[in-house]
Amino acid sequence: MIRSLFFDIDGTLCSLKTHEIPLSTVKALEQAKSKGVKVFISTGRPIQIITNLKAIEHLIDGYITTNGAYCFVNGDVVRCTPIGKTDVKVMLDDADKYDYPCIVAGDRGLAVYGNHKETVDRVFREELNVDNIDMKKPAADIIAGNVLQITSFFPASHEQALMAQTTGSGSARWHPEFTDITSVEADKGKGLEAMAAHLGLDIAETMAFGDGGNDISIIRKAGIGVAMGNAGEDVKAAADYITASVDDDGVMKALLHHAVI
């Protein structure tokens, strides 16, 4: 029996076409909650830019954010796993050397580092409908604190060379133009383990939904891992079940198939 649900946001809960949660998904989660099933978010987004969940905010029991680097329930921090300072310097030096921007997220907020901020604006505002990033905010203060995630705008071909220079960081790409870099101790699967330990959840009774490469760890860890129909082939290969796309009522169909609702 499934008692807890974990959802990625972009491409899973929220359509990448409309930037909204389909009504079928909202109704399905309301039905699940009415049966006592808990609902959790599992996203690569830092908390500062989780802006598209208004339709279901009242249903959410807890959050795995920044790919598992920062997890919380009702304001209580369950897990906080920053990137090592040496690795932060390696990544930002690389951004300077190869002239690409990064979004740096930490316990002091979020800022854009480097040039080409129009790239960040285009991808996040136009494609992902995130319109609350302050492009003028200095990144120095964020870097001085605990850095939880660095979202670096470079192609996949550059990834291996950069990550080989780090000692304790991992990369989780879910978009062709950028990747999310966190501590190797932070991924969504580890976030699920932390939430289960904190709340007394049975992982065998969890179901996790996702569509991107950063969802693979939690899809593998959950009792039932569900790949959306719009997911990449690597995500589908890791899943126990493949549902329809986010725009074709995929969440509702999966919950019906597994008798959660």
Side-chain angles (χ1 to χ4, degrees), residues 7-29:
F7 293 97
D8 171 55
I9 297 178
D10 301 288
T12 299
L13 279 178
C14 289
S15 167
L16 293 174
K17 297 177 182 177
T18 67
H19 305 298
E20 295 181 353
I21 303 174
L23 183 58
S24 66
T25 298
V26 175
K27 289 184 177 298
L29 296 191

Side-chain angles (χ1 to χ4, degrees), residues 6 15 34 36 72 77 102-103 119 126 137 139-140 143 147 172 178 190 195 211 240 245 255:
F6 289 77
S15 167
S34 72
F72 62 95
V77 178
C102 305
I103 298 174
T119 301
E126 296 180 16
K137 184 173 183 175
I143 295 166
V147 175
F178 64 79
K190 292 183 176 70
M195 289 295 230
D211 70 298
D240 301 299
S245 74
L255 294 180

Side-chain angles (χ1 to χ4, degrees), residues 202-230:
D202 183 346
I203 289 180
E205 296 177 342
T206 64
M207 179 183 288
F209 290 71
D211 70 298
N214 61 339
D215 296 310
I216 291 175
S217 63
I218 194 168
I219 283 174
R220 286 176 172 163
K221 181 65 64 176
I224 298 175
V226 180
M228 304 301 290
N230 48 282

